[in-house]
Amino acid sequence: METSFDFEKPIAEINNRIDDLKESSRLDSMDLLSQIEDLEKTRDKLKQKIYSSLTAWQRIQIARHPKRPYSADYVKLIFKDFIELHGDRVFGDDQAILCGIATFNDNPVVVIGHQKGRTLKENMDRNFGMAHPEGYRKAMRIMKLASKFNRSIITFIDTSGAYPGIASEERGQAEAIARNLRDMSNLKVPIISIVIGEGGSGGALGIGFSNKVLCLENAYYSVISPEGCAAILFRDVSKAPEAAQAMKITAKDLLNLKVIDGIIKEPLGGAHCDPVATAANIKAVLNDYLCKYETMSRKEIADERYLKFRKMGIYEDIAEDKNECKKMGRKSAKN
């Protein structure tokens, strides 16, 4: 078992011992089956214990795993007849955003997602999944096509954020994302977004203004990265694990705060351990939601999306707190 993180090392050590016993059994013709089975049971119990009590920082590490499935991987596993569409008709084609038409359970849909690369060259071509303005304009162009032809939209969110370089700012990065938020709010077809890895800042929201926002179990969704938060608030990037815990950006925290609408289960160890099973889980959830929208009018779909975001951030102002604040205010005035 390849290990990337410290918390996975105990599992890797047991796997190495299992491999050694299997090799000894093969070379020396020894019957070591019972010992191997005992170690496998121990490993499975340890995996269950470790992955059921992950910290926020550990989940973020899994979300960034280099072998974690990307948007293109899920497109191949979930959809049929995918045809990629290119260009924003203004500047160029941004490979950090994958767009196209496909079929889902024999129904035509539009699929959009951030796309990272596996190799250095692929990451350079796709800008590590950080989109330029033309990427968001391309996404909006395809979404408008979806609305015109009454096709549901599925987006996969996986970016550390929109690209913050000078060239992007010169071409109107903030305007492109803001325009997407405005125009997505008015689309008359269902939009379902799934955070499959990193969900960073406006770069994520640029294709995530949706009727339903779902999150894979080990993905995260936040206004800033834990490292960025630690650098600003603590003046120390090494405090990113503490920032991650305080920011409440894991799927479970986001669901409790009603920022997302559901959590999609991952195989034990993360989506990279079994991409096919993860894709099957995503497909089942998508099917449930898309069936629901078949009975809704286009106006009802747009209204639902609008109200969803209007409700975010609602808080309850308790009378006792009001009185306490008034008392504190009077005391301050006297002093």
Side-chain angles (χ1 to χ4, degrees), residues 13-42:
E13 290 172 1
I14 295 177
N15 276 330
N16 290 335
R17 288 164 61 190
I18 291 172
D19 291 339
D20 291 341
L21 287 176
K22 287 180 178 179
E23 185 67 12
S24 297
S25 178
R26 185 181 67 83
L27 294 175
D28 302 330
S29 299
M30 298 173 62
D31 186 7
L32 301 174
L33 182 60
S34 61
Q35 295 180 46
I36 293 171
E37 289 178 346
D38 288 342
L39 281 174
E40 288 175 341
K41 290 178 181 177
T42 301

Side-chain angles (χ1 to χ4, degrees), residues 85-99 112 114 131-145 162 167-184 187 203 206-207:
L85 303 175
H86 300 274
D88 68 337
R89 302 296 187 266
V90 176
F91 181 83
D93 183 47
D94 186 355
Q95 294 188 55
I97 296 279
L98 179 74
C99 297
I112 297 169
H114 298 102
H132 293 82
E134 54 269 25
Y136 292 104
R137 293 184 179 120
K138 173 173 70 170
M140 195 67 248
R141 180 175 76 84
I142 306 306
M143 289 186 199
K144 287 181 177 178
L145 279 177
S168 283
E169 296 301 332
E170 288 176 341
R171 297 199 295 271
Q173 183 72 288
E175 185 270 346
I177 294 174
R179 187 181 293 272
N180 275 25
L181 301 184
R182 182 197 68 184
D183 291 349
M184 288 179 77
L187 293 178
I207 61 169

